[in-house]
Amino acid sequence: MEIKAEKKSILDIDADVIVVNLFEGVKVVGGVTGIVDSAYNNVITDYVINKEKFSGKYMELYELPIIDKNKKIIIAGLGKQEELTIAKIRDLTAKIVRTLMTKEHVQRVVTVLHGAGIGGLCPKGCAQMITEGALSGEYSFDKYKTTKKENNIKEFIIAEVDDKKYESAKAGVEIGKIVAESVNMARDLINESSQYLYPETLSKFAVENSNVETKVFNKEEVKKMGMNAFLAVGQGSVHEPKLIHMHYKPENPKKKIAIVGKGITFDAGGLDLKPPSSMLTMRDDMSGAAAVIAVIRAISFLKPDVEVHAIVAACENMPSGSAYKPGDVIIAKTGRSIEIDNTDAEGRVTLADALAYAEELGVDEIIDIATLTGACMVALGSVASGIMGNNDEKIAEFIKIANKMGERFWQLPMYEEYGDSLKSDIADTKNTGGRNGGASAAGIFLSKFISKTPWIHLDIAGTAFLDKPNSEGIKGAAGVSIRSLIKYITIQNCDCHN
Ligand code: BES
Ligand code: MG
Ligand code: ZN
């Protein structure tokens, strides 16, 4: 499906479907929707206002039963005008595409630039979201299905006559494509079976798809770097661990940032084996890794003045004769010793070394993204991700930007008492304590491996992999946090982040 903006009236574009919109409760059909209404004998006014067939509630879609045998009009509900956001436009467009794409006769769709008319939102942001939504609507992970979901839509066109708005829309479409392709790439990676996706194949994928300089370190090299904590987690698997370091370097970076993704390609729990129901989706335990690969790919095309390092310590957490054991003491890269209390709290053990590696790069800021704790999932469900760190200002800024992108993050506390359960008799720290306050305890554990760099920790355990469709209609791998991270890194390039 090709998505583009055209500088034409919506009526002058040859299409099988015209998509217009209405806010909830409108009594007079205006804007571009009004133009379409007048062109077709006030059919919209007739069905919406006179016959009350459509209320304009957010996400409501109504197909007018008429007109032209070759043309359909779909009205999309934008909900209450004061509540419309660009993220809502994305989810709405995903629904529109998902609804239309399987209809055989629908090959060309033309849409108004939702939100940029009476809605008053930034045209660039609206076009970006329409593009992202369209490409999300089309997404499905069906490579292992014999019958695949076909998308019959060949062209999805945003019509805009106004010069300035058209130019903004065109730019927004390009950004939207970069972001959406990156998000869908991550979804594919996360959904992929762990039989095929393990540290070596993940690292090859990163080399081929990150679109930036990418170094992969093998076990011996990682050993020389003193990353014993990372290696301990991977030692029970037949698959060799790989440290992946991707690097985007613009000419005069204003800032340097490292993003670190948890990269457990399968988390069986290790010798502290998970029960079957908890293990079932644990191929998603590299969602943080997928996110950072996707983010740096997008960054390589968006080219902000920010230097970005993306780091993944990839391994598998398996039980076996060579696996690390409860009670083992490991000396991490920083020299700090870790007593393994539970081999299933492996993510933080790998991140201890990955964060230390990131800090050695001398960056201004570190963000880690991890499917880290079941406790975070218990606290926030799949509705919001957890966020912690050592810098409240940056956390607040991240949350604000993420919300704008339609992703929710909720700050969890890092009171020092949460660290009490990590006290060890034989080492500097244990990797876990009790069950209670588990997300915060994990945050405290990670903080011990960063000495001074401002740091944000994103716990996406509950939001990375969904058992029912979200507002965008996505099930399975959600690709969460990617859009927020891209926006957070590129924010200075943006003219619509009010
Ligand atoms: N990968 C899991 C966390 C997780 C749970 C992610 C559910 C997605 C959905 C992590 O490695 C883990 O096993 N954490 C343990 C820690 C515990 C042993 C302290 C957990 O949360 O149960
Ligand atoms: Mg685990
Ligand atoms: Zn895990």
Side-chain angles (χ1 to χ4, degrees):
M1 176 176 56
E2 198 202 337
I3 304 171
K4 59 181 178 194
E6 279 192 18
K7 198 181 161 309
K8 278 188 189 162
S9 157
I10 198 161
L11 299 169
D12 296 337
I13 294 174
D14 177 34
D16 307 306
V17 175
I18 301 181
V19 181
V20 293
N21 62 45
L22 282 176
F23 282 108
E24 196 175 329
V26 292
K27 294 282 172 276
V28 181
V29 180
V32 180
T33 305
I35 293 173
V36 176
D37 189 37
S38 313
Y40 291 96
N41 296 324
N42 300 330
V43 64
I44 298 175
T45 300
D46 189 35
Y47 276 88
V48 174
I49 314 285
N50 304 339
K51 299 201 174 98
E52 297 186 356
K53 293 283 187 195
F54 178 84
S55 71
K57 280 214 165 48
Y58 177 57
M59 282 286 191
E60 187 180 354
L61 297 183
Y62 182 68
E63 184 183 319
L64 286 167
I66 27 100
I67 321 192
D68 195 314
K69 60 182 185 315
N70 300 318
K71 207 169 241 176
K72 286 183 189 307
I73 298 178
I74 305 258
I75 318 173
L78 296 179
K80 297 201 174 73
Q81 188 173 337
E82 64 278 13
E83 288 174 7
L84 186 65
T85 62
I86 57 171
K88 277 185 163 181
I89 291 172
R90 176 175 62 211
D91 294 352
L92 179 64
T93 308
K95 185 172 178 188
I96 292 167
V97 166
R98 202 170 287 110
T99 309
L100 294 176
M101 67 185 244
T102 49
K103 303 190 185 205
E104 241 172 70
H105 54 279
V106 180
Q107 299 199 350
R108 279 169 68 86
V109 176
V110 63
T111 180
V112 299
L113 184 54
H114 303 296
I118 304 162
L121 302 175
C122 155
K124 188 169 155 195
C126 294
Q128 177 184 340
M129 291 298 158
I130 289 173
T131 308
E132 285 187 33
L135 292 172
S136 262
E138 178 186 51
Y139 180 81
S140 65
F141 184 73
D142 54 10
K143 68 187 274 200
Y144 297 118
K145 291 222 183 206
T146 350
T147 322
K148 312 213 188 288
K149 226 179 179 179
E150 296 289 343
N151 178 1
N152 294 316
I153 306 172
K154 303 267 176 306
E155 284 181 285
F156 195 85
I157 304 155
I158 301 170
E160 179 54 62
V161 280
D162 179 88
D163 255 331
K164 242 179 114 192
K165 282 189 189 170
Y166 162 73
E167 288 303 330
S168 302
K170 212 166 75 170
V173 168
E174 289 319 307
I175 298 171
K177 281 183 191 169
I178 292 166
V179 174
E181 281 161 9
S182 303
V183 170
N184 285 347
M185 180 184 94
R187 288 173 177 158
D188 277 346
L189 263 181
I190 298 162
N191 282 319
E192 183 58 273
S193 154
S194 66
Q195 190 183 2
Y196 308 117
L197 195 95
Y198 43 88
E200 187 188 350
T201 51
L202 179 66
S203 66
K204 284 202 173 122
F205 183 93
V207 169
E208 285 160 17
N209 297 283
S210 65
N211 201 39
V212 295
E213 183 206 346
T214 300
K215 283 191 232 147
V216 178
F217 300 98
N218 65 21
K219 196 169 136 189
E220 277 66 46
E221 292 166 313
V222 173
K223 177 105 200 116
K224 279 194 200 116
M225 296 175 197
M227 297 173 77
N228 302 315
F230 166 37
L231 289 180
V233 173
Q235 76 189 30
S237 169
V238 294
H239 295 298
E240 193 193 328
K242 300 281 181 196
L243 177 71
I244 311 167
H245 182 168
M246 297 155 271
H247 186 195
Y248 164 77
K249 194 173 191 314
E251 249 166 48
N252 292 307
K254 288 202 189 87
K255 159 169 151 182
K256 292 184 195 177
I257 184 161
I259 49 177
V260 181
K262 171 174 171 181
I264 303 296
T265 58
F266 188 74
D267 181 12
L271 288 172
D272 288 311
L273 195 65
K274 285 184 184 293
S277 61
S278 309
M279 206 190 293
L280 197 56
T281 55
M282 279 301 135
R283 67 177 188 286
D284 80 342
D285 217 17
M286 36 56 74
S287 295
V292 303
I293 298 171
V295 169
I296 206 152
R297 175 196 178 271
I299 292 300
S300 79
F301 291 113
L302 296 171
K303 300 188 171 38
D305 293 336
V306 179
E307 183 172 342
V308 183
H309 293 274
I311 291 136
V312 175
C315 66
E316 238 186 15
N317 187 24
M318 297 291 281
S320 79
S322 62
Y324 79 140
K325 306 174 198 74
D328 281 359
V329 175
I330 301 151
I331 314 296
K333 181 171 171 57
T334 60
R336 199 177 276 270
S337 58
I338 305 169
E339 178 191 356
I340 300 304
D341 175 78
N342 190 315
T343 63
D344 196 13
E346 82 299 333
R348 65 195 74 180
V349 179
T350 63
L351 286 172
D353 281 349
L355 289 171
Y357 179 92
E359 189 160 42
E360 278 184 6
L361 299 169
V363 292
D364 304 311
E365 201 172 324
I366 300 174
I367 305 179
D368 79 75
I369 308 97
T371 44
L372 203 64
T373 66
C376 187
M377 183 161 70
V378 170
L380 305 173
S382 59
V383 178
S385 306
I387 184 168
M388 283 162 259
N390 60 11
N391 187 309
D392 283 342
E393 255 169 57
K394 288 199 188 295
I395 290 172
E397 191 192 341
F398 189 92
I399 293 173
K400 203 171 129 209
I401 291 167
N403 287 346
K404 179 95 185 182
M405 293 294 103
E407 295 191 319
R408 294 195 184 100
F409 286 84
W410 195 263
Q411 188 173 3
L412 299 174
M414 293 236 302
Y415 301 123
E416 63 178 64
E417 287 89 336
Y418 287 114
D420 290 351
S421 61
L422 299 176
K423 288 195 175 116
S424 164
D425 293 333
I426 53 170
D428 297 332
T429 182
K430 291 199 289 190
N431 71 331
T432 83
R435 291 187 64 80
N436 297 341
S440 294
I444 298 272
F445 177 87
L446 294 180
S447 72
K448 295 174 191 262
F449 297 88
I450 291 184
S451 65
K452 53 178 193 300
T453 310
W455 157 71
I456 298 176
H457 160 55
L458 307 177
D459 192 334
I460 57 168
T463 48
F465 202 87
L466 307 168
D467 57 6
K468 54 178 197 308
N470 64 7
S471 57
E472 216 180 337
I474 296 289
K475 214 181 142 184
V480 71
S481 80
I482 299 169
R483 290 151 168 165
S484 301
L485 284 161
I486 294 172
K487 191 70 173 179
Y488 183 79
I489 295 169
T490 59
I491 193 85
Q492 81 280 7
N493 291 2
C494 175
D495 51 7
C496 63
H497 58 278
N498 41 18

